[in-house]
Amino acid sequence: AVKREGDEKGEVVGVGAVPEKKGGGSTTSADDATVGFPTRYRIFGLRHCCVHLLSVDMQSSHHDPVDDARYSILLFNKYRTAEPPLLRAVRDSLHRAPITPGFSVKNPVVDGVCMSRA
């Protein structure tokens, strides 16, 4: 977890989040340079991580919290002993991966209710 700069409470921003400098850039410009765009505070969804890291679409039909827990543990066990350079490479690959479409993209109307933003 990462703490915000100058925050006396030490509020947690997120696991793996890159803290933002006051000038707008990230504190690790070398990491951003390898991806080609700013990566500050991007947090990936569990489904996105499973699709691109485990090659499994764990929420293809319905939401199941037990499956969420199972795949969270699978991801944790896969990368818990990984070295920081590998974790950075995995994070960069998640940035480069195509966006995983959400439920509302596949099902724009459910029971007469519009699920899209437009």
Side-chain angles (χ1 to χ4, degrees):
V2 178
K3 294 182 181 179
R4 291 184 186 160
E5 286 183 41
D7 188 3
E8 61 278 349
K9 295 178 188 173
E11 184 177 334
V12 174
V13 173
V15 176
V18 180
E20 181 181 352
K21 280 185 179 177
K22 296 193 183 211
S26 70
T27 58
T28 54
S29 60
D31 289 343
D32 287 346
T34 60
V35 179
F37 51 87
T39 59
R40 60 180 188 238
Y41 295 120
R42 180 159 180 205
I43 297 175
F44 301 101
L46 178 61
R47 182 169 178 239
H48 182 77
C49 291
C50 286
V51 166
H52 297 290
L53 299 178
L54 300 175
S55 300
V56 174
D57 190 0
M58 41 86 69
Q59 291 178 348
S60 59
S61 60
H62 66 281
H63 179 255
D64 184 5
V66 175
D67 281 343
D68 287 356
R70 183 177 296 122
Y71 284 106
S72 295
I73 296 299
L74 281 171
L75 283 169
F76 171 77
N77 285 333
K78 183 174 181 177
Y79 293 104
R80 73 176 166 180
T81 58
E83 296 293 325
L86 175 64
L87 294 176
R88 283 188 205 99
V90 167
R91 182 198 61 199
D92 293 347
S93 73
L94 287 172
H95 279 289
R96 289 187 192 99
I99 295 173
T100 305
F103 179 81
S104 63
V105 173
K106 292 181 180 181
N107 305 293
V109 177
V110 175
D111 293 334
V113 177
C114 181
M115 301 295 288
S116 67
R117 293 182 184 174

